[in-house]
Amino acid sequence: MTKIIIFDVTFSSVSRHLEAVLSSVAHANVDIKICYLSGPPSFEREGIKFQKVLFLSNLKADILVIFGYRIPDIALLHYFKDCVKTVYVQHGYYRRDMHRTVGGVFQNWQRVLQYSINILELLMSTGQLNYIGYFWSTWVSFKDCDADAENSPDFGYVYSDEWADYHRRFIGWGSTKYRRLSAFEPKKIYKNTTGLKFQYVAQTLVEDGRIKRSFFQDALRELVDNNNTGKIAILLHPRSDRTIYGEVSDKFEYFDDRCFDVLTYGHYSTLLLYLASKKCVVRTLDLPNHPVPDDFLALLNDTKKLPSFTNNPAKSNISILTS
């Protein structure tokens, strides 16, 4: 029986992508374990084990599936480099220079502590200080990586050939094989039957320390004041902090399972690309010291370059066992 570990940093994030990945191994003789660092205590559901973990080096499986290149993901790629297969699935649009404020980083002290544990665990198990340089170049100085970085997956699913090139330059995919992915988006688009003025696509910009809470709220307040009639939908991210929005206005209605065919504002969320691909009107918003990236704007302005999206997880073109 093939043992598969599907990993993400938070339970809410891994739950978001789970349906598409699981559909690729339906009816196969596999043992699946869902691992995460932050979320509910370990439990089992429908024969699948959900495990909250602290240390990563003890995890064992034949196949590892990850969705990002954060510090825990990089550590796992090292621990699993001798296993049967490591598979990466692109989960959204990536901004290269993902700067964060110092105060914003340390406001989530639990994550800082967890990532520190992961780094120390990796250094102690390998004795290789070069990982410090890899983390620094990838997440602080934003330098291009070597053509074939040591911590590259065996196989990757990406939105396009351009995204494969991005991963080669930024992450160091030299020998990684890849396939184009149809991005699974569970949110279906509904008609605007309740008189919404517009909808706003939430990102975790404040929660992840990319912009100060007060700066973000000032920008959002200005958007509301300029559109001061009608109801406003906030399309929540799984990790959204609702209090950020509740402190700005009482006009908001919150949704986490759907979106609407209505004027849409946002920054650089993949959900904006999804809505644009369905011919919805999308407008981007720059924030103080945090403009919308030029390459994201180029995607929105050229429909031929938009990723393909599907609401059917079985049509996402993922095949974990045969990659």
Side-chain angles (χ1 to χ4, degrees):
M1 180 180 293
T2 302
K3 295 183 178 181
I4 301 174
I5 282 182
I6 302 172
F7 174 82
D8 211 328
V9 171
T10 66
F11 174 78
S12 59
S13 294
V14 74
S15 300
R16 206 168 117 215
H17 314 296
L18 195 54
E19 197 173 350
V21 175
L22 291 181
S23 69
S24 74
V25 294
H27 311 300
N29 186 25
V30 295
D31 177 29
I32 299 174
K33 184 182 291 185
I34 315 298
C35 296
Y36 48 90
L37 300 177
S38 175
S42 301
F43 65 97
E44 186 169 339
R45 185 173 64 200
E46 297 179 0
I48 298 175
K49 302 179 183 70
F50 291 78
Q51 182 177 349
K52 183 178 181 179
V53 298
L54 177 62
F55 299 105
L56 301 174
S57 57
N58 294 328
L59 296 177
K60 304 295 180 186
D62 300 313
I63 299 175
L64 168 70
V65 182
I66 61 172
F67 303 96
Y69 273 92
R70 295 143 300 193
I71 287 172
D73 301 303
I74 295 170
L76 278 171
L77 283 173
H78 170 79
Y79 298 135
F80 279 78
K81 64 182 179 182
D82 295 324
C83 77
V84 173
K85 190 188 310 178
T86 52
V87 179
Y88 161 86
V89 180
Q90 183 176 355
H91 77 279
Y93 168 81
Y94 300 144
R95 179 172 181 160
R96 173 67 188 273
D97 56 337
M98 197 71 77
H99 294 288
R100 290 167 168 82
T101 64
V102 174
V105 169
F106 283 95
Q107 74 179 4
N108 192 338
W109 62 268
Q110 295 98 331
R111 182 175 297 178
V112 173
L113 177 61
Q114 177 66 63
Y115 281 19
S116 299
I117 290 172
N118 297 145
I119 292 174
L120 289 173
E121 183 185 15
L122 181 60
L123 295 179
M124 290 176 66
S125 65
T126 65
Q128 298 180 19
L129 295 177
N130 62 305
Y131 283 103
I132 295 294
Y134 184 79
F135 294 147
W136 184 270
S137 65
T138 304
W139 296 114
V140 180
S141 61
F142 307 108
K143 293 181 179 179
D144 288 350
C145 289
D146 297 331
D148 196 2
E150 181 178 356
N151 297 296
S152 296
D154 298 314
F155 200 93
Y157 288 94
V158 293
Y159 291 159
S160 66
D161 295 335
E162 288 81 7
W163 278 111
D165 183 60
Y166 170 95
H167 285 80
R168 276 191 288 267
R169 290 183 288 109
F170 183 22
I171 305 299
W173 282 15
S175 57
T176 299
K177 298 178 182 178
Y178 74 93
R179 182 183 298 169
R180 293 186 63 168
L181 168 74
S182 292
F184 172 58
E185 177 49 65
K187 291 185 178 70
K188 293 184 178 180
I189 301 173
Y190 290 80
K191 293 182 179 180
N192 180 20
T193 59
T194 59
L196 291 172
K197 181 72 174 180
F198 66 87
Q199 63 188 357
Y200 169 81
V201 176
Q203 292 180 242
T204 53
L205 303 179
V206 176
E207 294 88 339
D208 290 342
R210 298 178 202 168
I211 188 170
K212 289 184 177 180
R213 186 185 185 106
S214 60
F215 289 176
F216 174 80
Q217 289 179 322
D218 287 345
L220 186 60
R221 192 172 289 110
E222 182 179 354
L223 175 64
V224 173
D225 290 343
N226 290 337
N227 297 270
N228 57 8
T229 59
K231 295 180 292 185
I232 300 168
I234 302 293
L235 308 184
L236 295 170
H237 185 279
R239 293 188 289 108
S240 289
D241 178 357
R242 288 198 189 193
T243 65
I244 296 171
Y245 304 93
E247 292 168 0
V248 172
S249 175
D250 59 3
K251 297 180 179 179
F252 297 147
E253 295 188 15
Y254 301 96
F255 300 90
D256 56 13
D257 62 347
R258 66 187 63 195
C259 45
F260 301 92
D261 185 6
V262 67
L263 173 63
T264 304
Y265 288 96
H267 308 288
Y268 48 90
S269 168
T270 310
L271 190 56
L272 295 176
L273 301 180
Y274 166 64
L275 289 163
S277 73
K278 304 302 181 182
K279 311 303 181 185
C280 297
V281 178
V282 172
R283 295 179 183 172
T284 57
L285 296 169
D286 289 329
L287 294 169
N289 300 316
H290 200 86
V292 177
D294 290 338
D295 60 342
F296 186 86
L297 295 173
L299 283 173
L300 280 178
N301 293 327
D302 188 348
T303 55
K304 294 181 180 179
K305 292 184 178 180
L306 287 172
S308 61
F309 290 91
T310 179
N311 299 125
N312 183 346
K315 295 183 178 180
S316 61
N317 200 32
I318 297 175
S319 182
I320 299 299
L321 295 176
T322 60
S323 298

